[in-house]
């Protein structure tokens, strides 16, 4: 593989990892506050559908993004109501969110647009287009660096840059702000937070809403930035890969970026290596590459490479002492 | 790691005392179900159709004629097995979300048995072999998540989700590269001969005057019903069942009582995986007569809704799986009659049932408890000694 091929694989790895980064960060806020969320997939899916539908009708990408965030946050609030206010089982609630999303997006898409569950193809105004960074044209002829700058760094849509900026932003919020300190505390020991006179319920609701916003962005990226419209089951398990990445990163922002890039690279390599023979190994089945993120996560969870310890109060509702 | 054992126990369903059984097991599930269907009705309204008409078509499609009943029972067979699988794990305080993958791998066992034997022996020889292979393969797929939960504290929900995806990748690879006959582009095994197919129940139903047409309901239905009885005895009438329930209620107390939570976690998950694996008999040997990609098609997940709605009791599971069988069969009819309500409506209802009967199960409890308190206060006036009149 020459430089050009490597840059192309890396470029596609970046594109594939963007929804994972956004969704995994979404999960980070929620799970750090003590609300487990296996409904990332579902929230991304409603986000993608709402973005595709609204953008097709209104002809504006920003309306689409707004709709995506709105839809995703309302699903996040259902999850919040069930797991924070009603103290229901958070896993069950997440499963319900995923089914509701899978069913509703297909049903409404089918009923509203009658195109087999797709939303109509978008006009250029309905999509987020690629941004050419300054200097890309002049640097094109510089060897090596020019190619990397033009192909890999420049020429992505807004979401790609937002996702990469969201990582340091999340790190700052979680580790350097008062809100972040409380967020981490409420996920480890909600009783202590309550004793300090801070509302556990409101903190967790805020975390769940932030989770919804990020999932909405991840969904909008899929339907109105990466592609030109929603197709049914568009997320295709990306929410679960993001969940795996979050665990793989042990619920920390920078490692989330690393894990998502790794899983994105695996995905890109799987597409690239389809049918190719590797020296010494022979043909690697594409399914093996697809299963690798899940296998790696299980191995990590097993504690054979490091140890993934979830937030201590995760999965349990807080019952205020009376 | 013991710190995670209570987290696993959270998934167990705590029973609260104080309400009579008919409210606890009758009224509350019914109220939850009613809420789910009410919201589903609103969705139908939102799509611009008449919910009452939709219900009419759905019920007619599911039980209005012989073939519909046959299909309803065929689907119900799948859901009974996956529902039992989820229910047994629930009793041990475990959330087995991996029924889908375990059933998928169970299908591999069924297909291998059928492919090996179908040309040489009649179905009633293949059947017991497949009935053994399916649970063994299903249980094997549950073994690693079970062991990881029991020994290393890895959260079973996450590992079983991961194993669903791993199973899907593994099966696609096997079907494309190994099981599909030479020269075929279809990612599926060859079609079984007569010795690898299960008899349908058409003649049995025609004996009671019901023509089920081409409906694929087959002898697996009896396997599923028998499994319900076996699970009932296992959970409430055996020592192992007692130990499973004890671990589910309180792993720490169980450990003090000399019950090993590690052993029970693994055993309960193996039983759960085995039950999910048996589900594969129904579609693979009973209907399609070959191993196809994604033949489970969500039945493993329906099992979650079925177990929650059936309150993890075999009788509840039977009733809930018949309801979901009706939804699946009637939903197909509905999509045909009213094209704007596609079959995805079933998935919506499934999600709503999981939401209201599972995550929001306690939403109506305070109201009903208050209502019951008022009602029993009215029924039994404070004056003592009135009972003597009876």
């Amino acid at each position: 593989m020459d430089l050009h091929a490597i840059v192309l694989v890396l470029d596609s790895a970046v594109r594939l990892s963007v929804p994972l980064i956004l969704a995994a960060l979404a999960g980070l806020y929620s799970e750090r506050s003590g609300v487990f969320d296996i409904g990332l997939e579902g929230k991304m899916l409603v986000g993608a559908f709402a973005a595709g539908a609204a953008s097709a009708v209104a002809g504006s990408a920003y309306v689409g993004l707004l709709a995506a965030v709105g839809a995703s946050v309302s699903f996040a609030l259902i999850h919040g109501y069930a797991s924070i206010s009603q103290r229901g089982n958070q896993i069950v609630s997440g499963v319900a969110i995923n089914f509701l999303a899978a069913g509703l997006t297909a049903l409404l898409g089918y009923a509203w647009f009658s195109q087999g569950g797709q939303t109509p193809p978008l006009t250029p105004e309905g999509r987020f287009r690629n941004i050419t960074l300054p200097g890309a044209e002049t640097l094109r002829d510089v060897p090596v660096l020019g190619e990397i700058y033009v192909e890999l760094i420049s020429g992505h849509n807004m979401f790609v840059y937002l996702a990469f900026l969201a990582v340091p932003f999340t790190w700052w919020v979680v580790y350097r702000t008062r809100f972040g300190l409380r967020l981490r505390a409420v996920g480890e020991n909600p009783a202590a937070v309550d004793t300090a006179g801070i509302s556990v319920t409101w903190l967790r609701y805020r975390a769940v809403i932030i989770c919804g916003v990020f999932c909405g962005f991840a969904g909008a990226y899929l339907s109105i930035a990466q592609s030109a419209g929603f197709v049914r089951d568009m997320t295709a398990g990306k929410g679960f890969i993001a969940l795996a990445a979050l665990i793989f990163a042990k619920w920390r922002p920078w490692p989330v970026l690393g894990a998502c890039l790794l899983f994105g690279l695996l995905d890109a390599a799987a597409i690239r290596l389809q049918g190719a023979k590797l020296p010494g190994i022979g043909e690697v089945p594409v399914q093996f590459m697809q299963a690798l993120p899940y296998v790696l996560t299980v191995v990590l969870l097993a504690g054979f490479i490091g140890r993934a310890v979830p937030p201590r109060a995760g999965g349990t509702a807080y019952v205020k002492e009376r | 790691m013991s710190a995670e054992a209570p987290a696993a126990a959270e998934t167990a369903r705590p029973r609260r005392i104080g309400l009579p059984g008919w409210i606890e097991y009758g009224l509350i599930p019914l109220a939850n179900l009613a809420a789910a269907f009410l919201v589903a009705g609103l969705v139908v309204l939102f799509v611009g159709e008449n919910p009452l008409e939709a219900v009419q078509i759905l019920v007619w499609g599911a039980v209005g004629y012989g073939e519909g009943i046959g299909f309803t029972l065929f689907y119900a067979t799948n859901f009974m097995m996956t529902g039992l699988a989820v229910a047994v794990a629930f009793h041990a305080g475990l959330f087995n979300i991996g029924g889908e993958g375990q059933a998928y791998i169970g299908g591999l066992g069924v297909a291998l048995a059928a492919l090996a034997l179908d040309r040489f022996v009649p179905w009633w020889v293949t059947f017991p072999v497949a009935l053994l292979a399916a649970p063994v393969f299903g249980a094997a797929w549950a073994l690693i998540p079970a062991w990881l939960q029991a020994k290393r504290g890895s959260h079973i929900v996450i590992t079983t989700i991961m194993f669903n995806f791993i199973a899907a990748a593994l099966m696609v690879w096997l079907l494309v590269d190994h099981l599909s006959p030479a020269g075929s582009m279809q990612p599926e095994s060859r079609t079984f001969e007569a010795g690898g197919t299960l008899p349908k129940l058409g003649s049995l139903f025609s004996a009671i005057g019901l023509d089920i047409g081409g409906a694929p309901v087959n002898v697996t239905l009896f396997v599923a019903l028998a499994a319900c009885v076996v699970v009932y005895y296992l959970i409430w009438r055996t020592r192992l069942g007692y130990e499973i329930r004890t671990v589910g209620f309180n792993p720490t107390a169980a450990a003090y009582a000399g019950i090993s939570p590690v052993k029970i976690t693994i055993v309960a998950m193996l039983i759960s995986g085995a039950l999910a694996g048996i589900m594969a008999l129904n579609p693979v040997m009973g209907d399609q007569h070959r191993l196809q990609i994604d033949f489970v098609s969500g039945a493993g997940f329906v099992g979650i809704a079925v177990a929650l709605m059936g309150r993890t009791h075999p009788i509840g599971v039977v009733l809930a799986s018949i309801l979901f069988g009706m939804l699946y069969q009637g939903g197909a009819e509905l999509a045909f009659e009213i094209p704007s309500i596609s079959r995805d409506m079933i998935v919506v209802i499934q999600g709503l049932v999981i939401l209201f009967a599972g995550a929001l199960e306690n939403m109506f409890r305070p109201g009903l408890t208050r209502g019951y308190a008022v009602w029993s206060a009215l029924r039994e006036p404070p004056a003592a000694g009135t009972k003597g009149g009876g």
Side-chain angles (χ1 to χ4, degrees):
Chain A
M1 279 213 289
D2 57 349
L3 176 74
H4 184 65
I6 292 172
V7 168
L8 282 187
V9 169
L10 290 178
D11 183 56
S12 113
V14 166
R15 286 166 200 272
L16 290 166
S17 61
V18 166
L20 303 182
I21 296 170
L22 290 169
L25 290 177
L28 190 143
Y29 285 98
S30 180
E31 302 211 346
R32 268 299 174 103
S33 83
V35 180
F36 276 170
D37 194 353
I38 63 168
L40 296 174
E41 171 91 358
K43 287 199 278 284
M44 251 164 106
L45 193 61
V46 288
F49 173 71
S55 182
V57 173
S60 156
Y62 286 94
V63 173
L65 177 60
L66 211 64
V69 170
S72 173
V73 167
S74 43
F75 268 59
L77 285 174
I78 297 176
H79 183 57
Y81 176 70
S83 40
I84 304 168
S85 300
Q86 288 290 326
R87 298 188 208 125
N89 186 316
Q90 299 172 2
I91 306 290
V92 174
S93 168
V95 172
I97 294 290
N98 286 338
F99 280 118
L100 272 180
L104 276 179
T105 52
L107 180 76
L108 294 180
Y110 193 81
W112 286 347
F113 303 106
S114 19
Q115 295 182 3
Q118 295 188 11
T119 59
L122 295 173
T123 56
E125 288 72 38
R127 292 182 64 189
F128 286 95
R129 270 164 296 173
N130 293 341
I131 303 164
T132 308
L133 292 184
E137 286 313 307
T138 40
L139 285 172
R140 184 174 284 280
D141 297 329
V142 179
V144 185
L145 284 181
E147 175 139 21
I148 291 175
Y149 185 74
V150 173
E151 291 290 340
L152 193 56
I153 299 177
S154 169
H156 293 291
N157 57 60
M158 179 188 90
F159 287 88
V160 178
Y161 302 108
L162 276 182
F164 279 86
L165 287 177
V167 176
F169 174 73
T170 300
W171 174 84
W172 179 74
V173 167
V174 171
Y175 292 103
R176 289 292 180 272
T177 66
R178 181 181 296 205
F179 171 74
L181 177 66
R182 291 174 175 176
L183 183 83
R184 284 178 290 141
V186 83
E188 298 291 332
N189 191 343
V193 174
D194 199 19
T195 312
I198 302 155
S199 165
V200 173
T201 308
W202 173 225
L203 246 173
R204 286 191 168 168
Y205 263 111
R206 273 183 287 173
V208 164
I209 290 169
I210 298 173
C211 171
V213 173
F214 273 77
C215 283
F217 271 79
Y221 171 75
L222 290 177
S223 65
I224 62 174
Q226 203 182 24
S227 16
F230 174 84
V231 290
R232 55 177 301 165
D233 197 26
M234 188 159 208
T235 44
K238 286 191 179 64
F240 292 108
I241 299 235
L243 191 66
L246 179 63
I247 297 164
F248 206 72
K250 302 177 186 173
W251 294 268
R252 291 170 303 169
W254 285 109
V256 158
L257 178 65
C260 292
L261 284 174
L262 172 69
F263 291 173
L265 183 65
L266 284 176
D267 205 358
I271 298 167
R272 173 83 195 178
L273 290 178
Q274 208 152 15
K277 284 193 170 49
L278 288 185
I281 310 170
E283 192 177 323
V284 178
V286 62
Q287 292 84 16
F288 176 77
M289 304 288 276
Q290 284 167 351
L292 207 51
Y294 306 112
V295 175
L296 285 174
T297 306
V298 171
V299 172
L300 178 86
L301 275 171
F304 295 124
I305 39 169
R307 189 128 185 83
V309 182
R312 253 178 84 194
T316 47
Y318 178 63
V319 185
K320 209 176 168 76
E321 268 185 79
R322 280 179 239 272
Chain B
M1 201 177 116
S2 61
E4 278 173 43
E10 276 307 308
T11 54
R13 312 165 52 68
R15 276 192 196 86
R16 277 162 222 198
I17 32 174
L19 284 177
W22 62 270
I23 292 186
E24 185 71 49
Y25 298 107
L27 208 55
I28 287 181
L30 275 182
N32 292 334
L33 196 62
F37 278 93
L38 202 68
V39 177
L42 291 177
V43 172
V44 173
L45 267 183
F46 192 60
V47 170
E49 301 291 342
N50 181 353
L52 293 177
E53 193 193 336
V55 169
Q56 212 176 350
I57 295 171
L58 197 147
V59 171
W60 183 82
V63 290
Y65 61 103
E67 196 167 12
I69 295 177
F71 268 99
T72 296
L73 289 175
F74 170 74
Y75 291 124
T77 309
N78 289 342
F79 305 150
M80 263 178 235
M81 292 314 305
T82 54
L84 284 177
V86 177
V88 167
F90 264 143
H91 280 290
L94 301 164
F95 196 154
N96 178 14
I97 212 166
E100 188 83 5
Q102 289 143 16
Y104 208 173
I105 299 294
L108 180 63
V110 172
L112 290 180
L115 289 172
L117 296 173
D118 65 341
R119 287 182 175 154
F120 311 109
V121 292
W123 74 269
W124 45 266
V125 178
T126 316
F127 178 57
V129 177
L131 189 54
L132 197 70
V136 167
F137 275 65
W141 201 247
L143 177 64
I144 297 175
W147 183 81
L148 289 176
Q149 164 81 52
K151 279 287 199 186
R152 307 203 61 106
S154 324
H155 206 299
I156 193 111
V157 171
I158 307 294
T159 43
T160 47
I161 289 177
M162 301 298 140
F163 266 71
N164 282 342
F165 285 104
I166 299 171
L170 177 71
M171 291 295 279
V172 171
W173 176 65
L174 283 176
L175 282 169
V176 171
D177 287 0
H178 295 278
L179 284 172
S180 86
S184 161
M185 292 305 284
Q186 290 290 331
E188 55 186 36
S189 76
R190 72 169 167 84
T191 305
F192 307 151
E193 309 285 327
T197 64
L198 295 178
K200 296 181 179 169
L201 301 182
S203 51
L204 198 72
F205 279 99
S206 57
I208 56 166
L210 190 68
D211 175 24
I212 61 165
V217 58
N218 57 74
V219 290
T220 318
L221 175 63
F222 301 118
V223 175
L225 290 171
C228 290
V229 177
V230 170
V231 166
Y232 171 78
Y233 271 91
L234 173 78
I235 296 292
W236 280 282
R237 292 286 179 270
T238 67
R239 186 189 173 124
L240 178 64
Y242 173 76
E243 293 182 347
I244 287 177
R245 283 180 296 137
T246 311
V247 170
F249 274 120
N250 190 336
T252 320
Y256 274 107
I259 301 166
S260 159
V262 169
K263 187 190 118 190
I264 293 301
T265 298
I266 294 179
V267 169
M269 273 305 287
L270 289 181
I271 296 172
S272 178
L275 289 166
I278 294 174
M279 171 264 164
L281 273 179
N282 196 38
V284 175
M285 269 179 83
D287 180 28
Q288 295 149 1
H289 303 155
R290 57 181 171 251
L291 191 62
Q292 288 177 312
I293 281 191
D294 200 28
F295 72 87
V296 189
S297 56
F301 297 120
V302 179
I304 300 168
V306 165
L308 287 170
M309 219 178 94
R311 316 266 317 163
T312 68
H313 192 286
I315 293 176
V317 166
V318 171
L319 294 176
S321 32
I322 290 173
L323 181 81
F324 269 95
M326 286 174 63
L327 283 177
Y328 264 67
Q329 165 55 19
E333 202 77 37
L334 185 61
F336 183 72
E337 293 284 333
I338 308 180
S340 61
I341 307 178
S342 62
R343 283 200 73 172
D344 306 296
M345 190 67 212
I346 306 165
V347 184
V348 175
I349 296 177
Q350 195 179 323
L352 290 169
V353 166
I354 296 176
L355 185 68
F356 283 99
L360 294 174
E361 63 168 343
N362 292 328
M363 196 161 62
F364 299 112
R365 190 183 295 274
L368 284 172
T369 311
R370 228 172 295 133
Y372 175 70
V374 171
W375 181 72
S376 51
L378 285 177
R379 200 180 53 156
E380 267 178 57
T386 47
K387 274 182 185 164

